[in-house]
């Protein structure tokens, strides 16, 4: 991995890209990188995330500034602007049950062709999807999710890029680190090799391409 600035990081993010962004209501979201995307008006993005946070936080800033053409998320209930844009036809929203969303991202990172889940069978979620019956039970075939770039957040990393997250801020970040062509992580601090015990590592450095340090311009 290589340590870069926020300005250098956003050079890898182009209009029209599909990007994954970690976080749960903004917790575990790389706010510094998002602020730079807003500042540079990188638009026409497809964002894969758990949610769109709130208008003033995290992914919500991308929504408010109309930088997204589509979001694939598990809910939008905490961001009225996402709801407004969806109803007005300004933003395409694909709502995915939260567990299914996580498994689709995991499948993308693991190189699987999809997952089978009973969640959504018999509801509008099944519309347009293949239904497979196994031992008399129906399952939906949900396809994997991948991205051009994953933007994730960690508490700290060592000089090899091994990551440690801050409690529940871990959420979607480890899964997304495996499901994108390029992975950029925003960390609070970088520590020497050996300062992180092997059993504390949640994402190995081999998955990380670039590191930016929060608060450092």
């Amino acid at each position: 991995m290589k340590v870069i600035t926020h300005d250098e990081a956003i050079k890898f993010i182009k209009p029209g890209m599909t990007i994954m962004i970690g976080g749960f209501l903004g917790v575990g979201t790389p706010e510094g990188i998002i602020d730079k995307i807003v500042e540079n008006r990188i638009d026409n993005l497809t964002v894969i995330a758990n949610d769109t946070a709130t208008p003033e936080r995290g992914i919500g800033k991308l929504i408010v500034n109309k930088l997204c053409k589509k979001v694939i998320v598990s809910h939008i209930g905490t961001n009225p602007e996402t709801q407004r844009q969806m109803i007005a036809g300004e933003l395409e929203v694909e709502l995915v049950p939260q567990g299914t969303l996580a498994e689709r991202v995991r499948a993308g990172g693991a190189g699987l062709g999809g997952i089978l889940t009973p969640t959504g069978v018999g509801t509008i979620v099944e519309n347009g999807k293949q239904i497979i019956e196994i031992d008399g039970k129906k399952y939906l075939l949900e396809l994997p999710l991948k991205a051009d770039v994953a933007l994730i957040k960690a508490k700290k990393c060592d000089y090899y890029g091994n990551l440690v997250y801050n409690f529940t801020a871990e959420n979607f970040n480890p899964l997304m680190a495996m499901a994108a062509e390029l992975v950029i992580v925003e960390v609070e601090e970088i520590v020497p090799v050996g300062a992180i015990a092997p059993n504390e590592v949640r994402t190995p450095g081999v998955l990380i391409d670039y590191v930016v340090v929060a608060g450092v311009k």
Side-chain angles (χ1 to χ4, degrees):
M1 66 88 182
K2 180 180 180 181
V3 179
I4 59 176
T5 66
H6 285 77
D7 285 322
E8 291 172 323
I10 61 164
K11 292 179 181 179
F12 295 102
I13 305 168
K14 308 295 183 184
M17 276 189 166
T18 296
I19 61 175
M20 289 182 176
I21 302 178
F24 190 108
L25 296 179
V27 177
T29 296
E31 296 279 359
I33 300 177
I34 286 179
D35 287 344
K36 282 294 181 179
I37 293 175
V38 173
E39 180 183 322
N40 287 269
R41 304 297 302 176
I42 303 173
D43 62 3
N44 204 34
L45 299 171
T46 295
V47 172
I48 301 169
N50 178 67
D51 55 75
T52 57
T54 57
E56 72 285 349
R57 187 175 187 187
I59 298 166
K61 298 175 186 177
L62 302 180
I63 301 297
V64 168
N65 286 278
K66 297 186 176 181
L67 299 178
C68 300
K69 67 176 180 181
K70 179 179 181 178
V71 293
I72 302 173
V73 294
S74 70
H75 72 87
I76 58 173
T78 55
N79 194 329
E81 179 59 18
T82 306
Q83 300 170 46
R84 187 200 68 76
Q85 289 185 27
M86 179 182 70
I87 294 170
E90 300 170 5
L91 173 70
E92 182 181 351
V93 177
E94 180 180 339
L95 291 172
V96 183
Q98 190 174 79
T100 301
L101 179 65
E103 285 298 288
R104 289 180 67 187
V105 174
R106 184 186 65 80
L112 301 179
I115 64 163
L116 295 178
T117 175
T119 302
V121 171
T123 74
I124 60 172
V125 173
E126 76 175 26
N127 292 349
K129 296 177 182 175
Q130 184 177 350
I131 300 175
I132 297 175
E133 188 170 319
I134 300 175
D135 293 333
K137 187 172 183 178
K138 293 181 178 179
Y139 297 85
L140 299 184
L141 173 61
E142 295 280 3
L143 301 180
L145 289 171
K146 299 192 72 173
D148 299 304
V149 179
L151 305 176
I152 65 175
K153 173 72 185 295
K155 180 176 177 58
K156 59 185 175 182
C157 75
D158 62 20
Y159 296 137
Y160 285 156
N162 297 307
L163 304 183
V164 173
Y165 301 97
N166 191 26
F167 299 107
T168 58
E170 181 172 335
N171 51 64
F172 275 74
N173 286 298
L175 293 176
M176 291 179 172
M178 296 180 64
E181 295 297 320
L182 184 81
V183 180
I184 303 173
V185 59
E186 183 175 291
V187 301
E188 296 175 20
E189 63 175 330
I190 302 176
V191 299
V193 174
I196 299 175
N199 65 327
E200 292 180 333
V201 174
R202 292 295 177 264
T203 298
V206 69
L207 297 174
I208 307 303
D209 295 293
Y210 295 101
V211 172
V212 298
V213 181
V216 176
K217 302 299 181 181

